[in-house]
Amino acid sequence: MILGAAGVAAIAVLGGAAWAVGGSSGDAEPKEERFTSFPAACSTITKPTVAQYVPRSEQPLGDKSASTGHSWCLWSGSLRAAPGAKHIVYRTAKIDIVSYESRASAKSAYDSAWRTTVTSSGSSSTIGGGKLVGDASEPVNGLGDQAFYHHRTSTSALGRSGEAGETIRLRNLIITVAYGGFTAPADELGTPAQKGQVPLDTATGRPGADALAHDAVNALNACPTCLHRV
């Protein structure tokens, strides 16, 4: 899920990448404390979390530019079996952070995402010749200002995969984390066999999604220069 943001400009904070939200609220409008910048997404997830939930993770991919109010990062495990292993445990973790000009606009985006997730829960859809099933969704308490959890399973010509995700509103930011993958027998080349793939289920996936979400929220709350009353 990619959410848009308007009027944004890049800044540097303490030597690291950060993003600034542009625009003026006007003198007549009450001022609110909100994020005017935020750290790069790759820096918000701790190394122990990545090591635990994305085994044999490769170098993360992430945005290199600070030109928009959106930052993302993706960690992927190896699709090759470990030496001597007969199965492959493949995991990915992704985080998106999007800024909005006010808490109200972020709340509107969050509410829209929640409605879409609730509608898709318990239903299936066909995408690109594959099948996507929304398995579960529910609110999460004590995480940011608002949060919800979801799980979905996809089936395609390449096999089956599961995704556990959480969407969080923290003041005027929307944070989305997605933790996905599958377990599969290794074929003679050490790559995933198409038969026998088991998608990441909610019991296994939710702890990973929770860890990613809490890391991100903690990192954002700990940023000493990101919050201002504007």
Side-chain angles (χ1 to χ4, degrees):
M1 177 177 59
I2 302 297
L3 303 174
V8 294
I11 64 172
V13 176
L14 299 179
W19 288 257
V21 182
S24 173
S25 60
D27 294 338
E29 297 181 9
K31 293 183 178 180
E32 64 178 14
E33 189 177 51
R34 63 180 185 262
F35 286 88
T36 56
S37 64
F38 57 90
C42 288
S43 70
T44 64
I45 307 301
T46 65
K47 291 181 179 179
T49 295
V50 174
Q52 179 176 358
Y53 292 104
V54 189
R56 303 168 66 213
S57 174
E58 301 174 351
Q59 186 70 19
L61 299 176
D63 52 334
K64 305 299 183 182
S65 171
S67 62
T68 69
H70 171 221
S71 182
W72 65 275
C73 195
L74 172 67
W75 293 264
S76 298
S78 176
L79 280 169
R80 290 278 182 178
K86 296 182 179 180
H87 286 79
I88 297 169
V89 178
Y90 178 67
R91 298 288 186 262
T92 63
K94 185 179 181 182
I95 175 172
D96 286 270
I97 306 173
V98 180
S99 63
Y100 289 79
E101 292 187 351
S102 68
R103 295 188 186 191
S105 56
K107 186 178 186 305
S108 178
Y110 173 89
D111 291 342
S112 178
W114 169 243
R115 288 192 298 269
T116 299
T117 298
V118 170
T119 300
S120 64
S121 294
S123 63
S124 62
S125 57
T126 301
I127 300 177
K131 184 178 181 181
L132 182 66
V133 178
D135 302 318
S137 62
E138 62 179 277
V140 177
N141 296 322
L143 182 63
D145 297 304
Q146 294 174 283
F148 68 83
Y149 167 82
H150 77 263
H151 183 271
R152 55 179 66 120
T153 304
S154 62
T155 303
S156 69
L158 298 177
R160 304 180 68 208
S161 181
E163 178 189 280
E166 295 186 10
T167 298
I168 308 102
R169 182 180 69 83
L170 183 64
R171 292 182 173 86
N172 61 309
L173 300 182
I174 297 292
I175 305 111
T176 306
V177 300
Y179 179 56
F182 59 83
T183 302
D187 61 17
E188 63 277 6
L189 299 177
T191 58
Q194 291 192 12
K195 291 185 178 181
Q197 286 191 8
V198 179
L200 179 73
D201 60 21
T202 193
T204 305
R206 183 155 189 174
D210 285 341
L212 293 167
H214 280 88
D215 271 7
V217 169
N218 290 341
L220 291 166
N221 279 331
C223 178
T225 60
C226 293
L227 278 173
H228 293 88
R229 191 168 293 277
V230 293

